[in-house]
Amino acid sequence: MSVTILGIESSCDDTSAAVIRDGLLLSNVIASQSVHEEYGGVVPELASRAHQQNIVPVVDTALRRAGIAATDLSAIAFTRGPGLLGSLLVGTSFAKGMSLGLRKPIVDVNHLHGHVLSHFIRRQPDDIVPEYPFLCLLISGGNSQIILVRNYNDMEILGRTIDDAAGEAFDKCAKVMGLPYPGGPHIDRHAANGNPGRFKFARPHIPGYDYSFSGLKTSFLYTLRDNVALDPDFIAKNIDDLAASLQRTIIDILLDKLDKAVKATGVKTVAIGGGVSANSGIRAAIADYCQRRGLKAFIPERVFTTDNAAMVAIAGYFKYLDQQFCPYDAAPFARVGV
């Protein structure tokens, strides 16, 4: 008998719904919120209000594109956390209400697990997915982690950021350069035309597998301050080289710890996930790293790097197979590890 899962994602500023049947993606709908751009970051209250407006049409569209009725669902999976509480409450409450109305079970999903398991989303039955165990470099605006994945429900964080995440470093540096929010894609665009060896920024010396990006950010700010003091037009003249040098430094920091983890664990497969895994420089660097070391690389489609319900649905699918259902009194949570 087929297993059909509706996934609902509302952890931040994207409202998304997706349908997966027996591991195959039938639909994935995302409604983004442009209202936050003028504020230079996500405004939680505005985000939760937009989720309330978007969630019904988004879910309806996902079901229609999948060609199924709500009564065909086996279960409803939803992001329980981590994320913005107001946003999570919208998705959690909607999933519970839909579950009660349809008499279908609900499955709660850890948002970070969803990013890791996004590599198991298949568009075709013969699509290749990772074999356990593998290492996943999870990089986003709020998280930078190296995770040893032994199974869908057995993940160990080997290292994580002790301050800023990689995406946070991109966004904060982009902001002082006068680039729009979110800054990561703009850094990526400018870096394509720049010289990555032009500027040298500080690199952390943190033991183990943990990351730190605050020193890099501070070094970047001092470089701008000192040069702009001499030439007010310094950023405009050197924006491509600044972006390329920043991106190269972040890539080197990420790969240094990842390489240590690969050597220590002996894994043969490396995956990346999270919003920053959409960065073209990072994608190319991971592919090159794995090729040189004879490792299998899993780099997600860009649509699966940002917050999306397809990853929630596939995580929910695995939990459904093990009959791991969620009680109705389960509350969303803002922070947690993997």
Side-chain angles (χ1 to χ4, degrees):
M1 184 176 179
S2 294
V3 175
T4 306
I5 306 295
L6 170 68
I8 297 173
E9 158 61 21
S10 68
S11 64
C12 191
D13 60 334
D14 288 329
T15 311
S16 182
V19 177
I20 279 182
R21 173 171 287 168
D22 297 334
L24 293 177
L25 182 65
L26 301 184
S27 67
N28 186 35
V29 179
I30 304 173
S32 299
Q33 303 173 9
S34 59
V35 66
H36 307 284
E37 294 177 2
E38 61 181 294
Y39 297 100
V42 177
V43 181
E45 179 62 24
L46 295 179
S48 58
R49 289 181 181 181
H51 283 303
Q52 288 179 309
Q53 296 172 344
N54 293 336
I55 194 163
V56 171
V58 164
V59 169
D60 179 67
T61 302
L63 293 173
R64 285 191 288 106
R65 288 184 182 176
I68 67 169
T71 52
D72 296 328
L73 296 172
S74 303
I76 301 159
F78 67 96
T79 300
R80 187 178 169 191
L84 301 175
L85 275 179
S87 296
L88 290 166
L89 276 168
V90 175
T92 300
S93 300
F94 184 89
K96 291 178 180 179
M98 191 173 184
S99 168
L100 287 168
L102 296 173
R103 297 186 178 180
K104 305 288 184 179
I106 50 174
V107 180
D108 61 318
V109 171
N110 182 314
H111 179 78
L112 304 184
H113 284 188
H115 278 302
V116 174
L117 297 174
S118 64
H119 298 281
F120 292 88
I121 301 168
R122 291 179 294 139
R123 294 188 184 274
Q124 302 295 331
D126 57 351
D127 285 349
I128 299 173
V129 298
E131 295 181 0
Y132 300 114
F134 65 91
L135 282 176
C136 182
L137 177 60
L138 179 59
I139 40 179
S140 66
N143 297 278
S144 291
Q145 300 178 346
I146 300 177
I147 303 166
L148 176 60
V149 186
R150 301 186 183 91
N151 208 320
Y152 88 89
N153 58 356
D154 185 3
M155 304 183 193
E156 178 186 356
I157 299 176
L158 303 181
R160 71 179 84 204
T161 181
I162 61 174
D163 42 57
D164 290 349
E168 191 175 2
F170 273 128
D171 285 342
K172 289 181 177 179
C173 291
K175 185 174 182 178
V176 299
M177 292 168 68
L179 296 174
Y181 174 87
H186 297 283
I187 293 287
D188 194 17
R189 176 170 53 85
H190 282 288
N193 302 312
N195 175 10
R198 170 80 183 285
F199 297 98
K200 303 297 182 182
F201 303 120
R203 302 188 182 190
H205 299 282
I206 308 298
Y209 307 117
D210 286 340
Y211 287 112
S212 171
F213 292 97
S214 64
L216 164 63
K217 182 187 65 179
T218 301
S219 174
F220 186 85
L221 294 176
Y222 278 133
T223 297
L224 293 189
R225 184 198 65 180
D226 294 344
N227 284 279
V228 170
L230 299 174
D231 180 3
D233 298 323
F234 172 79
I235 295 177
K237 295 175 181 176
N238 298 279
I239 192 167
D240 290 344
D241 290 347
L242 285 166
S245 299
L246 173 67
Q247 181 167 286
R248 182 70 255 173
T249 305
I250 290 179
I251 289 172
D252 289 345
I253 293 171
L254 291 171
L255 285 180
D256 176 64
K257 296 303 178 96
L258 178 64
D259 184 56
K260 290 181 180 179
V262 167
K263 292 176 179 176
T265 60
V267 299
K268 301 301 181 183
T269 302
V270 170
I272 58 175
V276 180
S277 64
N279 179 281
S280 59
I282 291 175
R283 295 167 75 90
I286 290 293
D288 177 68
Y289 168 81
C290 289
Q291 183 179 31
R292 285 186 286 109
R293 286 160 178 76
L295 306 173
K296 291 183 180 178
F298 282 86
I299 300 172
E301 294 180 38
R302 281 187 167 85
V303 69
F304 299 140
T305 60
T306 54
D307 296 345
N308 67 91
M311 68 182 193
V312 177
I314 193 64
Y317 170 72
F318 290 131
K319 293 187 74 172
Y320 177 89
L321 294 180
D322 281 350
Q323 300 290 285
Q324 295 184 31
F325 302 129
C326 178
Y328 285 112
D329 61 354
F333 53 84
R335 295 180 179 276
V336 74
V338 72

